[in-house]
Amino acid sequence: SMETVYLETTVIRYLVASPSRDLVVAAHQQISHDWWQFQRERFRCVISQVVIDEIAAGDELESRKRLELVKSLDLLPASPAAEALVTAIVDAEVLPQKAVRDAAHIAVATVHGVHYLLTWNCRHLANAQVASRVRRVCDRQGFAMPTICTPEELLGEVNDA
């Protein structure tokens, strides 16, 4: 069966945003578009209510575009197990209090057995030190955490000319 990819908010934002003048952000946007165009079909793509809440915020026109983009994706339901895992992650102080939504992305993806969590949030999510600490918390709760990575790391062999 297909592997599952959880699309975190930053990836969806980059998919609908106007091209950035910032070269790094522009590159991330292009990579996100390439992933969406060439790799998405290889996976079952999912989101959560946390993603919906985050992409619905902000500019109305932009948020409409974002919500339109994700409406065909499977929505993972919240659950007591996910809530308990968020609490465990926050209690372990592996993420700052203000990053509770980041903990929620990980927790929902984890309890649903998702394979990859795709994000451009490299401070709290795609961060090797943070991920290894969070993985230990997930292990203790009896769950296998998804591989947290950027779209660049999940592009496959597309760019091998």
Side-chain angles (χ1 to χ4, degrees):
S1 66
M2 282 182 136
E3 288 186 306
T4 313
V5 172
Y6 178 104
L7 292 177
E8 189 266 339
T9 311
T10 51
V11 176
I12 294 156
R13 282 187 184 282
Y14 280 174
L15 284 171
V16 304
S18 312
S20 176
R21 289 205 184 91
D22 180 300
L23 289 177
V24 173
V25 174
H28 289 175
Q29 288 176 319
Q30 186 56 53
I31 290 163
S32 301
H33 284 290
D34 288 349
W35 190 87
W36 186 253
Q37 193 179 346
F38 302 115
Q39 300 295 308
R40 166 177 54 136
E41 300 301 323
R42 297 174 48 207
F43 301 96
R44 172 181 168 232
C45 293
V46 299
I47 55 169
S48 69
Q49 189 60 46
V50 190
V51 173
I52 302 254
D53 293 347
E54 289 184 337
I55 66 174
D59 177 78
E60 198 184 334
L61 186 66
E62 290 283 301
S63 70
R64 245 207 312 270
K65 282 192 229 163
R66 292 192 289 262
L67 291 165
E68 184 64 31
L69 185 81
V70 302
K71 69 168 199 250
S72 64
L73 306 182
D74 291 335
L75 183 68
L76 300 179
S79 65
E83 290 293 324
L85 187 52
V86 171
T87 304
I89 292 167
V90 172
D91 287 353
E93 295 182 348
V94 293
L95 284 172
Q97 284 294 165
K98 67 179 194 323
V100 66
R101 282 172 176 273
D102 297 326
H105 289 300
I106 296 171
V108 174
T110 297
V111 301
H112 283 281
V114 168
H115 297 93
Y116 301 98
L117 189 159
L118 216 55
T119 182
W120 286 110
N121 177 344
C122 297
R123 178 175 293 171
H124 295 145
L125 295 172
N127 172 310
Q129 280 188 302
V130 172
S132 73
R133 290 178 197 137
V134 176
R135 176 172 279 111
R136 284 199 289 276
V137 177
C138 293
D139 288 345
R140 280 201 298 273
Q141 302 288 315
F143 295 106
M145 191 186 81
T147 298
I148 301 175
C149 57
T150 68
E152 189 166 24
E153 297 173 284
L154 206 56
L155 264 182
E157 288 75 54
V158 153
N159 295 334
D160 293 355

